[in-house]
Amino acid sequence: QQQQQQQGVAPDASSAPAQSPPLPAPPAMTVTLLDAATGAAVSEECPNAEAWRAGNVLDIGGVGRYRVRVNAPAVASVSAAGHPMVGYPLVGCAAGTQFCDADSLRWRWYR
């Protein structure tokens, strides 16, 4: 082969390793967030807090559609610490909080 290269002759193609043809590029995947009320695409400029509302639909082209579910804060049970008496504060205690922190709860009392 060295003599062939020196003489300007191309080496035999059968001695070179075979190369497979390049793979085609995968098709572009479209991902769209759809408004539940209108079915229209949510603007890309919409803030996340507004765009990812419960009921909206994430449409992944060629894969599927997925409804957005927001984990609302929940409390399994509530109790009052102490005995209710006029003129004294009543402290609420939450047990079994889900998707929230018990320290961040706001208590509102009704008669």
Side-chain angles (χ1 to χ4, degrees):
Q1 286 182 347
Q2 287 179 342
Q3 289 178 349
Q4 289 177 342
Q5 288 176 347
Q6 288 175 353
Q7 295 175 1
V9 178
D12 184 14
S14 62
S15 64
Q19 293 182 355
S20 58
L23 296 174
M29 182 179 293
T30 58
V31 178
T32 309
L33 184 60
L34 304 172
D35 186 276
T38 64
V42 175
S43 169
E44 291 183 12
E45 303 196 4
C46 183
N48 278 325
E50 293 176 22
W52 293 96
R53 292 186 180 177
N56 283 358
V57 176
L58 180 64
D59 183 11
I60 303 175
V63 176
R65 297 179 96 175
Y66 304 92
R67 186 165 304 280
V68 175
R69 294 183 182 166
V70 178
N71 296 328
V75 177
S77 67
V78 176
S79 63
H83 300 286
M85 295 174 52
V86 175
Y88 293 93
L90 188 60
V91 179
C93 299
T97 57
Q98 296 177 332
F99 310 114
C100 65
D101 187 290
D103 295 333
S104 65
L105 295 175
R106 290 183 297 174
W107 296 95
R108 187 179 299 169
W109 300 102
Y110 297 98
R111 290 191 213 193

XYZ file of all heavy atoms in Angstrom:
807
model
N 0.814 -1.191 0.000
C 0.000 0.000 0.000
C 0.860 1.258 0.000
O 0.479 2.252 -0.587
C -0.921 0.025 1.223
C -2.090 -0.940 1.127
C -2.993 -0.828 2.346
O -2.621 -0.229 3.333
N -4.156 -1.420 2.254
N 2.003 1.194 0.716
C 2.867 2.367 0.737
C 3.352 2.695 -0.658
O 3.445 3.851 -1.030
C 4.059 2.133 1.668
C 3.676 2.171 3.144
C 4.884 1.912 4.028
O 5.901 1.399 3.572
N 4.764 2.277 5.301
N 3.665 1.659 -1.451
C 4.122 1.892 -2.811
C 3.002 2.514 -3.635
O 3.240 3.403 -4.441
C 4.587 0.591 -3.455
C 5.881 0.074 -2.888
C 6.272 -1.245 -3.520
O 5.488 -1.868 -4.232
N 7.505 -1.674 -3.263
N 1.728 2.035 -3.409
C 0.614 2.587 -4.161
C 0.410 4.060 -3.801
O 0.153 4.883 -4.674
C -0.672 1.804 -3.860
C -0.700 0.407 -4.443
C -1.942 -0.357 -4.058
O -2.621 0.013 -3.097
N -2.244 -1.419 -4.779
N 0.532 4.423 -2.497
C 0.345 5.802 -2.081
C 1.458 6.681 -2.638
O 1.226 7.813 -3.032
C 0.291 5.896 -0.551
C -1.008 5.336 0.035
C -1.005 5.340 1.559
O 0.030 5.539 2.159
N -2.175 5.111 2.140
N 2.681 6.149 -2.640
C 3.792 6.921 -3.164
C 3.635 7.151 -4.656
O 4.031 8.171 -5.181
C 5.113 6.196 -2.889
C 5.510 6.225 -1.434
C 6.754 5.387 -1.177
O 7.252 4.671 -2.065
N 7.264 5.458 0.051
N 3.032 6.195 -5.352
C 2.852 6.327 -6.780
C 1.588 7.108 -7.131
O 1.284 7.299 -8.284
C 2.796 4.936 -7.426
C 4.088 4.171 -7.309
C 3.960 2.766 -7.841
O 2.906 2.352 -8.316
N 5.048 2.007 -7.782
N 0.810 7.531 -6.082
C -0.397 8.310 -6.354
C -1.600 7.447 -6.636
O -2.578 7.921 -7.184
N -1.538 6.170 -6.278
C -2.647 5.258 -6.505
C -3.398 5.106 -5.184
O -2.792 4.901 -4.138
C -2.157 3.884 -7.005
C -3.316 2.939 -7.201
C -1.358 4.063 -8.268
N -4.713 5.183 -5.225
C -5.528 5.045 -4.015
C -5.482 3.614 -3.521
O -5.438 2.678 -4.321
C -6.968 5.447 -4.306
N -5.465 3.424 -2.192
C -5.471 2.050 -1.670
C -6.788 1.366 -1.979
O -7.800 2.007 -2.231
C -5.283 2.249 -0.164
C -5.690 3.656 0.112
C -5.454 4.422 -1.149
N -6.767 0.064 -1.938
C -7.934 -0.757 -2.228
C -9.003 -0.519 -1.166
O -8.730 -0.555 0.025
C -7.499 -2.221 -2.257
C -8.645 -3.149 -2.649
O -9.670 -2.634 -3.137
O -8.500 -4.362 -2.458
N -10.240 -0.294 -1.575
C -11.334 0.006 -0.658
C -11.656 -1.192 0.227
O -12.159 -1.031 1.328
C -12.573 0.432 -1.429
N -11.353 -2.390 -0.221
C -11.680 -3.571 0.563
C -10.812 -3.680 1.807
O -11.160 -4.358 2.754
C -11.538 -4.830 -0.297
O -10.194 -4.955 -0.711
N -9.680 -2.999 1.857
C -8.800 -3.066 3.024
C -9.204 -2.061 4.095
O -8.793 -2.182 5.232
C -7.351 -2.835 2.607
O -7.222 -1.517 2.104
N -10.024 -1.063 3.772
C -10.477 -0.062 4.745
C -11.671 -0.606 5.517
O -12.466 -1.371 4.984
C -10.864 1.228 4.026
N -11.808 -0.224 6.813
C -12.973 -0.701 7.572
C -14.264 -0.115 7.004
O -14.311 1.022 6.553
C -12.713 -0.194 8.999
C -11.690 0.878 8.868
C -10.935 0.622 7.604
N -15.300 -0.934 7.022
C -16.597 -0.502 6.478
C -17.244 0.502 7.423
O -17.226 0.328 8.633
C -17.504 -1.704 6.284
N -17.797 1.567 6.878
C -18.490 2.581 7.677
C -19.969 2.516 7.371
O -20.364 2.445 6.208
C -17.948 3.971 7.366
C -16.516 4.170 7.798
C -16.049 5.587 7.517
O -16.772 6.373 6.926
N -14.836 5.888 7.918
N -20.784 2.532 8.427
C -22.229 2.509 8.212
C -22.691 3.923 7.871
O -22.070 4.904 8.278
C -22.949 2.001 9.453
O -22.645 2.818 10.561
N -23.776 4.053 7.122
C -24.262 5.384 6.756
C -24.728 6.126 8.008
O -25.142 5.500 8.990
C -25.434 5.095 5.808
C -25.845 3.694 6.118
C -24.612 2.994 6.600
N -24.640 7.446 8.015
C -25.068 8.203 9.199
C -26.560 8.006 9.460
O -27.356 7.852 8.528
C -24.762 9.655 8.839
C -24.651 9.677 7.357
C -24.212 8.299 6.931
N -26.910 7.967 10.734
C -28.314 7.804 11.106
C -29.074 9.101 10.848
O -28.546 10.189 11.061
C -28.430 7.451 12.593
C -27.818 6.113 13.009
C -27.876 5.962 14.522
C -28.539 4.975 12.338
N -30.330 8.988 10.429
C -31.107 10.208 10.213
C -31.423 10.864 11.557
O -31.524 10.198 12.586
C -32.388 9.707 9.533
C -32.491 8.270 9.922
C -31.081 7.785 10.108
N -31.560 12.168 11.557
C -31.886 12.908 12.777
C -33.305 12.549 13.213
O -34.185 12.376 12.378
C -31.780 14.401 12.523
N -33.526 12.421 14.532
C -34.888 12.116 14.984
C -35.815 13.292 14.690
O -35.374 14.441 14.638
C -34.735 11.901 16.494
C -33.469 12.586 16.856
C -32.601 12.561 15.632
N -37.088 13.004 14.484
C -38.009 14.105 14.189
C -38.123 15.038 15.400
O -37.990 14.602 16.538
C -39.339 13.405 13.907
C -39.215 12.067 14.554
C -37.754 11.727 14.537
N -38.361 16.295 15.141
C -38.503 17.277 16.213
C -39.769 16.969 17.006
O -40.817 16.682 16.436
C -38.568 18.685 15.636
N -39.660 17.009 18.329
C -40.804 16.732 19.188
C -41.419 18.061 19.608
O -40.715 18.960 20.048
C -40.371 15.945 20.421
C -41.524 15.588 21.330
S -41.029 14.642 22.770
C -40.533 13.133 21.995
N -42.722 18.164 19.461
C -43.401 19.383 19.876
C -44.033 19.169 21.245
O -44.659 18.146 21.503
C -44.498 19.781 18.871
O -45.433 18.707 18.762
C -43.913 20.078 17.506
N -43.823 20.131 22.124
C -44.392 20.095 23.467
C -45.167 21.396 23.646
O -44.625 22.478 23.479
C -43.293 19.965 24.537
C -43.887 19.979 25.934
C -42.473 18.700 24.311
N -46.458 21.269 23.986
C -47.327 22.436 24.111
C -48.145 22.327 25.383
O -48.667 21.268 25.703
C -48.288 22.525 22.903
O -47.533 22.423 21.703
C -49.055 23.823 22.907
N -48.265 23.435 26.099
C -49.134 23.502 27.271
C -50.424 24.174 26.826
O -50.404 25.287 26.304
C -48.464 24.293 28.396
C -49.228 24.365 29.707
C -49.452 22.964 30.286
C -48.489 25.231 30.703
N -51.548 23.479 26.999
C -52.837 23.966 26.524
C -53.687 24.467 27.686
O -53.749 23.834 28.740
C -53.580 22.855 25.789
C -52.834 22.205 24.629
C -53.587 21.004 24.111
C -52.590 23.221 23.535
N -54.369 25.593 27.475
C -55.278 26.150 28.465
C -56.523 25.277 28.539
O -57.110 24.931 27.521
C -55.643 27.580 28.075
C -56.474 28.258 29.126
O -57.709 28.061 29.120
O -55.897 28.986 29.955
N -56.943 24.908 29.763
C -58.090 24.022 29.941
C -59.385 24.662 29.459
O -60.252 23.983 28.907
C -58.213 23.629 31.405
N -59.528 25.966 29.650
C -60.781 26.635 29.301
C -60.949 26.832 27.803
O -62.030 26.639 27.255
C -60.863 27.983 30.013
N -59.857 27.192 27.119
C -59.970 27.538 25.701
C -59.408 26.475 24.764
O -59.757 26.446 23.586
C -59.237 28.856 25.414
O -57.834 28.665 25.660
C -59.768 29.985 26.274
N -58.508 25.656 25.252
C -57.854 24.671 24.399
C -56.718 25.262 23.585
O -56.042 24.563 22.848
N -56.482 26.565 23.743
C -55.404 27.246 23.016
C -54.084 27.065 23.756
O -54.057 26.817 24.966
C -55.725 28.730 22.879
N -52.989 27.205 23.040
C -51.664 27.101 23.643
C -51.442 28.259 24.610
O -51.793 29.397 24.320
C -50.592 27.107 22.567
N -50.857 27.943 25.762
C -50.509 28.971 26.740
C -49.289 29.717 26.214
O -48.349 29.109 25.708
C -50.208 28.332 28.113
C -49.716 29.365 29.111
C -51.440 27.619 28.649
N -49.297 31.025 26.324
C -48.198 31.846 25.834
C -46.894 31.477 26.531
O -46.871 31.217 27.734
C -48.504 33.325 26.081
O -47.351 34.111 25.837
N -45.804 31.459 25.782
C -44.491 31.172 26.355
C -44.052 32.269 27.306
O -43.145 32.072 28.099
C -43.456 30.989 25.240
C -43.668 29.723 24.437
C -42.602 29.524 23.381
O -41.573 30.229 23.411
O -42.797 28.660 22.514
N -44.685 33.417 27.234
C -44.326 34.538 28.101
C -45.133 34.551 29.392
O -44.895 35.373 30.257
C -44.490 35.837 27.332
C -43.634 35.797 26.073
C -43.413 37.146 25.445
O -43.848 38.148 26.015
O -42.802 37.158 24.385
N -46.054 33.623 29.533
C -46.889 33.518 30.732
C -46.031 32.987 31.884
O -45.321 32.001 31.710
C -48.058 32.582 30.454
S -49.211 32.434 31.798
N -46.086 33.603 33.070
C -45.305 33.092 34.202
C -45.732 31.677 34.588
O -46.896 31.303 34.427
C -45.631 34.070 35.339
C -46.204 35.278 34.678
C -46.811 34.825 33.394
N -44.802 30.894 35.098
C -45.080 29.505 35.466
C -46.249 29.380 36.428
O -47.066 28.464 36.300
C -43.848 28.847 36.078
C -42.889 28.352 35.028
O -43.295 27.897 33.977
N -41.610 28.448 35.317
N -46.335 30.265 37.413
C -47.404 30.184 38.405
C -48.782 30.291 37.759
O -49.750 29.726 38.245
C -47.232 31.273 39.450
N -48.875 30.999 36.654
C -50.148 31.135 35.946
C -50.331 30.041 34.900
O -51.442 29.584 34.657
C -50.231 32.501 35.272
C -50.295 33.658 36.249
C -50.270 35.007 35.550
O -50.618 35.068 34.357
O -49.894 35.984 36.208
N -49.252 29.618 34.273
C -49.338 28.646 33.180
C -49.686 27.246 33.680
O -50.490 26.551 33.064
C -48.022 28.605 32.415
N -49.103 26.837 34.798
C -49.284 25.469 35.283
C -50.460 25.390 36.248
O -50.333 25.020 37.402
C -47.999 24.958 35.930
C -46.921 24.799 34.928
C -45.935 25.685 34.628
C -46.745 23.707 34.035
N -45.149 25.201 33.622
C -45.627 23.982 33.241
C -47.432 22.516 33.832
C -45.178 23.115 32.256
C -46.977 21.644 32.852
C -45.857 21.944 32.085
N -51.624 25.717 35.755
C -52.851 25.662 36.552
C -53.477 24.286 36.442
O -53.357 23.604 35.423
C -53.846 26.710 36.071
C -53.384 28.104 36.351
C -54.436 29.097 35.991
N -53.944 30.434 36.285
C -54.617 31.513 36.032
N -55.810 31.437 35.483
N -54.119 32.681 36.324
N -54.189 23.909 37.507
C -54.876 22.616 37.508
C -55.848 22.550 36.337
O -56.575 23.505 36.072
C -55.616 22.417 38.824
N -55.845 21.454 35.634
C -56.752 21.271 34.508
C -56.114 21.539 33.164
O -56.573 21.018 32.152
N -55.057 22.360 33.114
C -54.371 22.576 31.842
C -53.796 21.249 31.361
O -53.654 20.299 32.128
C -53.280 23.634 31.978
C -53.836 25.037 32.005
O -55.037 25.234 31.895
N -52.978 26.015 32.172
N -53.461 21.179 30.077
C -53.016 19.917 29.483
C -51.634 20.100 28.863
O -51.413 21.037 28.093
C -54.018 19.446 28.401
C -53.523 18.196 27.702
C -55.386 19.209 29.020
N -50.710 19.206 29.208
C -49.387 19.172 28.592
C -49.463 18.187 27.443
O -49.692 16.996 27.643
C -48.323 18.749 29.605
C -46.903 18.680 29.071
C -46.417 20.061 28.644
C -45.978 18.091 30.114
N -49.316 18.685 26.219
C -49.397 17.856 25.014
C -47.983 17.618 24.496
O -47.314 18.551 24.065
C -50.244 18.559 23.961
C -50.426 17.719 22.698
O -50.083 16.531 22.709
O -50.931 18.273 21.704
N -47.533 16.369 24.563
C -46.220 15.992 24.052
C -46.467 15.258 22.750
O -46.958 14.126 22.751
C -45.448 15.121 25.053
C -45.303 15.868 26.385
C -44.086 14.735 24.488
C -44.669 15.058 27.480
N -46.184 15.926 21.643
C -46.481 15.399 20.317
C -45.958 13.993 20.106
O -44.794 13.707 20.333
N -46.838 13.100 19.678
C -46.447 11.736 19.376
C -46.330 10.835 20.596
O -46.124 9.642 20.464
N -46.464 11.389 21.805
C -46.326 10.594 23.026
C -47.639 10.534 23.783
O -48.123 9.459 24.110
C -45.216 11.162 23.937
C -45.145 10.405 25.244
C -43.880 11.132 23.219
N -48.219 11.680 24.078
C -49.479 11.677 24.815
C -49.848 13.042 25.351
O -49.120 14.019 25.181
N -51.012 13.089 26.003
C -51.510 14.312 26.631
C -51.664 14.037 28.119
O -52.196 12.999 28.506
C -52.847 14.716 26.031
C -52.719 15.045 24.545
C -54.040 15.406 23.987
N -54.112 16.857 24.027
C -55.092 17.572 23.527
N -56.112 16.970 22.971
N -55.073 18.870 23.589
N -51.222 14.994 28.944
C -51.221 14.810 30.385
C -51.872 16.020 31.059
O -51.456 17.157 30.839
C -49.787 14.627 30.898
C -49.092 13.480 30.204
C -48.322 13.700 29.057
C -49.234 12.187 30.662
C -47.704 12.648 28.405
C -48.617 11.123 30.017
C -47.854 11.369 28.890
O -47.247 10.330 28.244
N -52.879 15.756 31.894
C -53.575 16.824 32.608
C -52.724 17.276 33.784
O -52.166 16.463 34.511
C -54.934 16.340 33.094
C -55.766 17.439 33.708
C -57.219 17.043 33.853
N -57.839 16.635 32.588
C -58.296 17.467 31.662
N -58.194 18.764 31.827
N -58.853 17.006 30.576
N -52.625 18.591 33.959
C -51.864 19.168 35.065
C -52.688 19.023 36.342
O -53.850 19.403 36.380
C -51.543 20.663 34.802
C -50.869 21.292 36.012
C -50.684 20.806 33.559
N -52.074 18.455 37.352
C -52.706 18.328 38.663
C -51.836 19.057 39.670
O -50.648 18.775 39.783
C -52.843 16.872 39.061
C -53.787 16.127 38.160
C -53.955 14.716 38.616
N -54.837 14.029 37.681
C -54.983 12.739 37.645
N -54.323 11.982 38.486
N -55.791 12.186 36.777
N -52.436 19.958 40.406
C -51.704 20.732 41.403
C -51.994 20.129 42.771
O -53.147 19.863 43.106
C -52.123 22.218 41.363
C -51.411 23.011 42.435
C -51.832 22.801 39.987
N -50.953 19.916 43.538
C -51.116 19.349 44.874
C -51.558 20.443 45.842
O -50.748 21.198 46.351
C -49.808 18.727 45.358
C -49.390 17.566 44.502
O -50.237 16.863 43.970
N -48.112 17.368 44.361
N -52.841 20.487 46.102
C -53.384 21.478 47.030
C -53.006 21.103 48.460
O -52.984 19.923 48.804
C -54.896 21.543 46.889
N -52.718 22.092 49.286
C -52.417 21.784 50.683
C -53.609 21.097 51.345
O -54.762 21.411 51.052
C -52.174 23.151 51.316
C -51.931 24.073 50.177
C -52.632 23.504 48.996
N -53.326 20.156 52.230
C -54.383 19.425 52.922
C -53.967 19.176 54.366
O -52.784 19.017 54.663
C -54.658 18.106 52.225
N -54.953 19.154 55.244
C -54.730 18.862 56.656
C -55.658 17.714 57.026
O -56.869 17.776 56.809
C -55.017 20.101 57.533
C -54.864 19.780 59.001
C -54.100 21.251 57.131
N -55.088 16.650 57.610
C -55.882 15.477 57.967
C -56.768 15.737 59.176
O -57.919 15.309 59.214
C -54.965 14.290 58.223
N -56.259 16.444 60.181
C -57.078 16.730 61.366
C -56.610 18.014 62.035
O -55.462 18.424 61.892
C -57.030 15.567 62.360
O -55.726 15.439 62.897
N -57.549 18.631 62.780
C -57.277 19.878 63.498
C -57.781 19.713 64.921
O -58.848 19.151 65.154
C -57.997 21.071 62.822
C -57.799 22.343 63.616
C -57.505 21.240 61.406
N -57.003 20.219 65.859
C -57.443 20.212 67.255
C -57.060 21.542 67.887
O -56.223 22.276 67.358
C -56.806 19.047 68.023
O -55.400 19.202 68.046
N -57.673 21.842 69.011
C -57.370 23.068 69.747
C -56.594 22.702 71.002
O -56.957 21.778 71.725
C -58.650 23.800 70.106
N -55.502 23.431 71.226
C -54.698 23.186 72.422
C -55.312 23.972 73.582
O -55.565 25.166 73.466
C -53.265 23.620 72.175
N -55.572 23.315 74.675
C -56.159 23.977 75.842
C -57.667 23.956 75.790
O -58.284 23.248 74.984
N -58.275 24.757 76.664
C -59.729 24.838 76.761
C -60.183 26.220 76.306
O -59.616 27.226 76.727
C -60.190 24.581 78.200
C -59.791 23.226 78.698
N -60.413 22.076 78.284
C -58.811 22.829 79.558
C -59.849 21.038 78.874
N -58.873 21.480 79.649
N -61.211 26.294 75.464
C -61.671 27.606 75.015
C -62.285 28.398 76.178
O -63.153 27.895 76.887
C -62.710 27.290 73.954
C -62.966 25.835 74.013
C -61.941 25.206 74.856
N -61.786 29.621 76.365
C -62.299 30.518 77.402
C -62.332 31.923 76.840
O -61.448 32.317 76.084
C -61.415 30.457 78.655
C -61.431 29.108 79.325
S -60.271 28.928 80.704
C -60.638 30.307 81.714
N -63.330 32.688 77.219
C -63.477 34.056 76.749
C -62.264 34.872 77.192
O -61.850 34.823 78.349
C -64.784 34.677 77.302
C -64.873 36.148 76.912
C -65.979 33.916 76.781
N -61.704 35.611 76.221
C -60.588 36.491 76.531
C -59.223 35.836 76.420
O -58.216 36.508 76.587
N -59.164 34.560 76.168
C -57.886 33.861 76.047
C -57.727 33.346 74.620
O -58.672 32.852 74.016
C -57.821 32.687 77.032
C -57.777 33.124 78.459
C -58.950 33.242 79.191
C -56.574 33.450 79.064
C -58.937 33.663 80.505
C -56.541 33.867 80.387
C -57.717 33.978 81.098
O -57.684 34.398 82.399
N -56.507 33.433 74.091
C -56.319 32.944 72.717
C -56.461 31.426 72.649
O -56.113 30.713 73.582
C -54.897 33.383 72.373
C -54.217 33.592 73.676
C -55.284 33.953 74.679
N -56.998 30.976 71.556
C -57.146 29.549 71.307
C -56.133 29.173 70.228
O -56.108 29.760 69.153
C -58.568 29.231 70.847
C -58.943 27.766 70.717
C -58.795 27.048 72.056
C -60.366 27.646 70.213
N -55.292 28.212 70.505
C -54.225 27.822 69.583
C -54.656 26.576 68.821
O -55.036 25.573 69.424
C -52.908 27.553 70.351
C -51.811 27.116 69.389
C -52.490 28.779 71.127
N -54.592 26.654 67.497
C -54.936 25.512 66.661
C -53.715 24.654 66.384
O -52.601 25.162 66.254
N -53.931 23.360 66.315
C -52.853 22.414 65.991
C -53.312 21.542 64.824
O -54.380 20.947 64.884
C -52.548 21.530 67.195
S -51.995 22.416 68.642
N -52.500 21.481 63.792
C -52.824 20.671 62.619
C -51.977 19.405 62.639
O -50.801 19.434 62.982
C -52.560 21.456 61.346
N -52.593 18.290 62.275
C -51.869 17.019 62.197
C -52.071 16.428 60.802
O -53.128 16.568 60.200
C -52.387 16.055 63.263
N -51.048 15.778 60.314
C -51.148 15.115 59.011
C -51.204 16.083 57.845
O -52.027 15.914 56.954
N -50.336 17.087 57.842
C -50.330 18.034 56.717
C -49.724 17.380 55.487
O -48.803 16.576 55.582
C -49.546 19.306 57.068
O -48.224 18.943 57.436
C -50.198 20.072 58.195
N -50.268 17.713 54.332
C -49.753 17.230 53.057
C -49.566 18.421 52.130
O -50.437 19.278 52.023
C -50.725 16.254 52.409
C -50.927 14.992 53.211
C -51.953 14.093 52.562
O -52.856 14.556 51.872
N -51.829 12.803 52.779
N -48.417 18.476 51.471
C -48.078 19.502 50.494
C -48.054 20.893 51.101
O -48.300 21.884 50.421
C -49.017 19.466 49.276
C -49.153 18.099 48.693
C -50.354 17.437 48.738
C -48.065 17.458 48.124
C -50.489 16.165 48.215
C -48.184 16.192 47.593
C -49.398 15.538 47.649
N -47.802 20.977 52.404
C -47.644 22.267 53.072
C -46.881 22.052 54.363
O -46.708 20.927 54.823
C -48.997 22.926 53.348
S -50.034 22.018 54.509
N -46.448 23.142 54.946
C -45.734 23.110 56.208
C -46.684 23.601 57.295
O -47.301 24.654 57.143
C -44.509 24.024 56.102
C -43.622 23.922 57.306
O -44.041 24.396 58.384
O -42.516 23.378 57.167
N -46.811 22.867 58.400
C -47.742 23.237 59.470
C -47.455 24.634 60.011
O -48.372 25.351 60.418
C -47.689 22.207 60.593
N -46.205 25.066 59.987
C -45.838 26.397 60.493
C -46.329 27.519 59.575
O -46.388 28.673 59.984
C -44.328 26.505 60.682
C -43.816 25.571 61.763
O -44.593 25.244 62.689
O -42.638 25.165 61.668
N -46.652 27.215 58.340
C -47.086 28.258 57.401
C -48.613 28.373 57.298
O -49.112 29.152 56.499
C -46.491 28.006 56.018
O -47.002 26.807 55.490
N -49.351 27.601 58.104
C -50.816 27.670 58.067
C -51.303 28.978 58.680
O -50.713 29.500 59.620
C -51.427 26.490 58.836
C -51.170 25.108 58.253
C -51.725 24.051 59.191
C -51.779 24.981 56.882
N -52.389 29.506 58.140
C -53.058 30.683 58.715
C -54.380 30.196 59.305
O -55.143 29.517 58.634
C -53.325 31.744 57.652
C -52.046 32.419 57.174
C -52.363 33.498 56.187
N -52.996 32.854 55.029
C -53.522 33.508 53.993
N -53.484 34.801 53.978
N -54.062 32.853 53.002
N -54.631 30.562 60.531
C -55.856 30.128 61.226
C -56.857 31.241 61.193
O -56.557 32.403 61.464
C -55.531 29.732 62.663
C -54.618 28.548 62.721
C -53.259 28.568 62.841
C -54.993 27.179 62.627
N -52.761 27.292 62.829
C -53.800 26.412 62.707
C -56.199 26.515 62.489
C -53.807 25.031 62.657
C -56.195 25.135 62.457
C -55.012 24.405 62.527
N -58.098 30.895 60.902
C -59.201 31.851 60.916
C -60.336 31.213 61.727
O -60.797 30.131 61.419
C -59.685 32.150 59.497
C -60.714 33.249 59.439
C -61.149 33.550 58.044
N -60.003 33.994 57.256
C -60.031 34.140 55.942
N -61.146 33.881 55.276
N -58.976 34.554 55.283
N -60.749 31.907 62.770
C -61.775 31.380 63.665
C -63.139 32.002 63.354
O -63.239 33.192 63.102
C -61.413 31.652 65.125
C -60.113 31.008 65.518
C -58.898 31.603 65.645
C -59.890 29.628 65.786
N -57.939 30.712 65.982
C -58.521 29.467 66.081
C -60.714 28.503 65.807
C -57.961 28.236 66.406
C -60.143 27.274 66.143
C -58.789 27.153 66.428
N -64.181 31.171 63.374
C -65.558 31.623 63.136
C -66.422 31.254 64.347
O -66.168 30.283 65.025
C -66.146 30.939 61.889
C -65.429 31.279 60.617
C -64.481 30.428 60.088
C -65.705 32.461 59.951
C -63.824 30.737 58.915
C -65.061 32.775 58.780
C -64.110 31.919 58.263
O -63.467 32.238 57.103
N -67.431 32.055 64.601
C -68.382 31.730 65.686
C -69.527 30.955 65.133
O -69.997 31.102 64.082
C -68.936 33.008 66.311
C -67.927 33.749 67.085
C -68.674 34.781 67.840
N -67.847 35.950 67.965
C -68.140 36.917 68.777
N -69.213 36.880 69.486
N -67.356 37.945 68.873
